[in-house]
């Protein structure tokens, strides 16, 4: 996995253009976490110097990362575990909510990480994923036309592909929200081109094509409880003998039969 991309994001989000994108993402995360409840919230990977979990009403919050910031170590609101994300030290069905801020863009095998998350998540628990929109102007420009080498290491994940992976694992995607359309982060040098591109992207958004810089996906772990069906389950054989009731397989009705006391004594 590429831990350097997470460390790069932590520094880039503190810059002027990065701060604008971070505030957009934080609003999406606040809206997603505010209505999710439980006892344990686990965040995999840290991409900012400030906490993205402030809006969550879950009391026990845990951060798992290979590199832990001193601010997190001294924080009283968040517990932390220093560990590799490829080998998560969390037991099966322990977490109510798992938060992945750009984590899938860091690992080489995102589906393997999703399987680990699925194992640690309780039934009906939620997974929250944020990442850069691969179709948006700013992420594409930063990855292919920018001097910032850190974005070259990012593995952008399409929302459509994430939905397919989650569907295979048995998740119901509840919401997918995008940040606002913005290409040059208020750069005066490209003000004219920024407005032109943003106008085009907003037009595409009206027909269902989203070009926001960051997406936030919320999915719920759906577990089908086995339901016993059929006539034999509703009427066990011993119950029919005791009550003197026999079920007709053709009509599906129950017929009262005379009880043979001699057979019952035997």
């Amino acid at each position: 996995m590429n831990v350097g991309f997470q460390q790069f994001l932590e520094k880039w989000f503190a810059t002027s253009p990065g701060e604008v994108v971070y505030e957009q993402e934080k609003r999406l995360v606040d809206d997603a976490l505010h209505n999710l409840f439980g006892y344990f919230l686990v965040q995999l990977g840290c991409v900012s110097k400030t906490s993205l979990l402030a809006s969550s009403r879950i009391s026990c919050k845990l951060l798992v990362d290979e590199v832990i910031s001193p601010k997190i170590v001294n924080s009283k609101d968040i517990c932390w575990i220093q560990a590799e994300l490829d080998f998560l030290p969390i037991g099966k069905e322990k977490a109510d909510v798992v938060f992945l801020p750009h984590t899938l863009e860091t690992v080489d095998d995102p589906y393997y990480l999703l399987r680990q998350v699925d194992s640690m998540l309780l039934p009906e628990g939620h997974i929250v994923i944020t990442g850069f929109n691969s179709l948006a102007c700013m992420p594409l420009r930063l990855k292919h036309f920018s001097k910032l080498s850190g974005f070259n290491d990012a593995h952008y994940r399409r929302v459509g592909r994430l939905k397919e992976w989650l569907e295979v694992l048995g998740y119901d995607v509840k919401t997918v929200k995008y940040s606002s359309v913005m290409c040059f982060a208020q750069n005066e040098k490209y003000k004219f081109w920024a407005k032109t591109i943003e106008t085009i992207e907003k037009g595409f958004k009206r027909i269902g094509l989203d070009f926001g810089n960051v997406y936030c996906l919320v999915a719920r772990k759906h577990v089908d409880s086995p339901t016993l069906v059929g006539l034999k389950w509703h009427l066990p054989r011993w119950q029919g003998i005791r009550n003197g009731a026999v079920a007709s397989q053709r009509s599906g009705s129950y017929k009262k039969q005379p009880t043979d006391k001699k057979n019952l004594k035997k």
Side-chain angles (χ1 to χ4, degrees), residues 115-166:
R115 291 199 303 268
Q116 290 193 84
V117 173
D118 177 66
S119 177
M120 75 170 71
L121 200 61
L122 286 163
E124 304 301 325
H126 290 81
I127 180 172
V128 181
I129 303 173
T130 63
F132 289 110
N133 183 6
S134 59
L135 299 177
C137 174
M138 176 174 285
L140 285 175
R141 182 178 62 84
L142 291 173
K143 186 174 179 64
H144 300 289
F145 304 101
S146 174
K147 296 180 180 179
L148 299 173
S149 59
F151 279 98
N152 295 331
D153 299 328
H155 305 288
Y156 292 162
R157 311 297 180 185
R158 293 188 297 105
V159 174
R161 181 60 60 85
L162 291 181
K163 289 182 178 180
E164 293 176 359
W165 291 340
L166 292 170

Side-chain angles (χ1 to χ4, degrees), residues 30 67 75 86 126-127 139 146 178-179 193 198 234 239 247 260:
D30 289 345
V67 180
S75 175
D86 289 332
H126 290 81
I127 180 172
S146 174
Y178 293 83
S179 64
W193 291 108
E198 289 170 11
H234 289 290
Q239 186 177 2
D260 191 348

